[in-house]
Amino acid sequence: MKFCAKIDDGQYMREFQNIVLTLSKLTKECVIIIKKDKVHFIANEESGAAAPLVWVEIDAKLYFTNYIMEGHSDDNGSTIMLAVSPIHFSRALSSFKLNARNCKFKLIHLQFPCLRTETEVLSQSSGEPRQIVHDVPVTLIPRNEWDYYDLPQIPRAKLIVKVHSNNLLRGLIDKLKNISPTLKFAANSLGDLNLVAKNEMATITTCFKNLEVRTLDDESQQEDIKVECSVDCKKTSLFFTALQVPTSELSCGIDDDRLIHMEINVRGGVSVHSILPSVCV
């Protein structure tokens, strides 16, 4: 089993660090699935926990200039599966803020498996390059346990709306969580999205108009489609609060009374996903 990779671009390094930092705010342990062409992170706490299901997809050719992996073969090609603490991993990547030039990742074995990060930074005093090395403990997930960590599939939502005010949505939901335990997303094919929170004293509705809409079937675009789904408000707020990636656009897929699928496109080939299951109101 072998894995090594390198990031040379400073902006990609900061984005990668922010992705890991986002995961560290959601879970104590995440799974990294390394394939020939993609790297996935999956964060999901134990059933019933407050954190939502979140996963990240990264095109390996986009971030990494040097990317070598040799893992176990399965039906989908060669794969390496690791479990790691995103908190420890994010601390290892904190040196990216110190005028970092590049970073190398390598799977090594000391007394236990580790993911080594070697960051080259320029000294502020002398301007000379120096290496900062961190060894992050990981757990190699054996082949016979891979079925427990299947990559989530993007659900086929009946209606998808794109919200451009991501920061506004984050602040709004953070305030609504103190008003109602549930939050209803209601949208239609005309580009309207309503967020509804209610308690015994009041009902608060926030309206977004003229949003870009995509339907499940192209043939149904002429129809007036309406969908709605109520989700846990604190789970939703936790997802938005944890986001550290720079983005201004969010795709929200709503499947009637079943789930809501959130997708943040960091850039082409890099995306953050979350599934919020419906709750009974």
Side-chain angles (χ1 to χ4, degrees), residues 2-7 16 32 34 64 66 68 82-84 88-93 95-96 102-120 131-140:
K2 180 179 181 180
F3 171 69
C4 57
K6 182 180 180 182
I7 305 180
F16 187 81
I32 306 176
I34 303 170
F64 306 107
N66 182 34
I68 300 171
L82 313 170
V84 65
H88 294 161
F89 197 12
S90 65
R91 288 172 182 167
L93 302 179
S95 55
F96 285 4
N102 60 65
C103 181
K104 298 177 182 177
F105 302 92
K106 187 176 183 180
L107 185 61
I108 63 171
H109 189 89
L110 302 175
Q111 294 180 339
F112 43 81
C114 289
L115 185 60
R116 171 168 290 180
T117 66
E118 298 179 8
T119 308
E120 182 179 317
Q131 296 285 337
I132 300 178
V133 179
H134 292 273
D135 292 327
V136 183
V138 299
T139 301
L140 294 175

Side-chain angles (χ1 to χ4, degrees), residues 22 161-176 183 185 193 195 206 208 211 236-253 260-267 270-274 276:
T22 296
V161 294
K162 290 189 176 180
V163 183
H164 297 278
S165 303
N166 192 27
N167 291 332
L168 173 62
L169 200 59
R170 178 188 309 184
L172 173 66
I173 294 175
D174 186 56
K175 291 179 175 61
L176 292 178
L183 181 64
F185 286 72
L193 173 65
L195 270 61
T206 305
F208 295 85
L211 301 178
T236 309
S237 176
L238 180 59
F239 170 68
F240 280 97
T241 303
L243 285 175
Q244 303 296 309
V245 292
T247 180
S248 59
E249 186 173 290
L250 163 75
S251 294
C252 178
I260 292 178
H261 168 237
M262 303 286 188
E263 181 177 354
I264 304 287
N265 289 312
V266 181
R267 64 170 64 244
V270 182
S271 55
V272 181
H273 301 261
S274 179
L276 299 167

Side-chain angles (χ1 to χ4, degrees), residues 65-165:
T65 54
N66 182 34
Y67 185 84
I68 300 171
M69 69 84 62
E70 297 174 4
H72 295 298
S73 296
D74 63 359
D75 296 338
N76 299 315
S78 187
T79 303
I80 299 174
M81 201 172 290
L82 313 170
V84 65
S85 164
I87 297 176
H88 294 161
F89 197 12
S90 65
R91 288 172 182 167
L93 302 179
S94 61
S95 55
F96 285 4
K97 300 177 182 179
L98 305 175
N99 201 15
R101 298 177 63 182
N102 60 65
C103 181
K104 298 177 182 177
F105 302 92
K106 187 176 183 180
L107 185 61
I108 63 171
H109 189 89
L110 302 175
Q111 294 180 339
F112 43 81
C114 289
L115 185 60
R116 171 168 290 180
T117 66
E118 298 179 8
T119 308
E120 182 179 317
V121 301
L122 292 177
S123 173
Q124 294 182 348
S125 57
S126 65
E128 295 293 324
R130 60 190 179 95
Q131 296 285 337
I132 300 178
V133 179
H134 292 273
D135 292 327
V136 183
V138 299
T139 301
L140 294 175
I141 299 175
R143 177 67 182 86
N144 59 358
E145 296 181 11
W146 284 6
D147 290 342
Y148 295 107
Y149 304 96
D150 279 343
L151 187 67
Q153 299 298 311
I154 296 177
R156 288 172 56 84
K158 189 175 181 180
L159 192 70
I160 300 173
V161 294
K162 290 189 176 180
V163 183
H164 297 278
S165 303

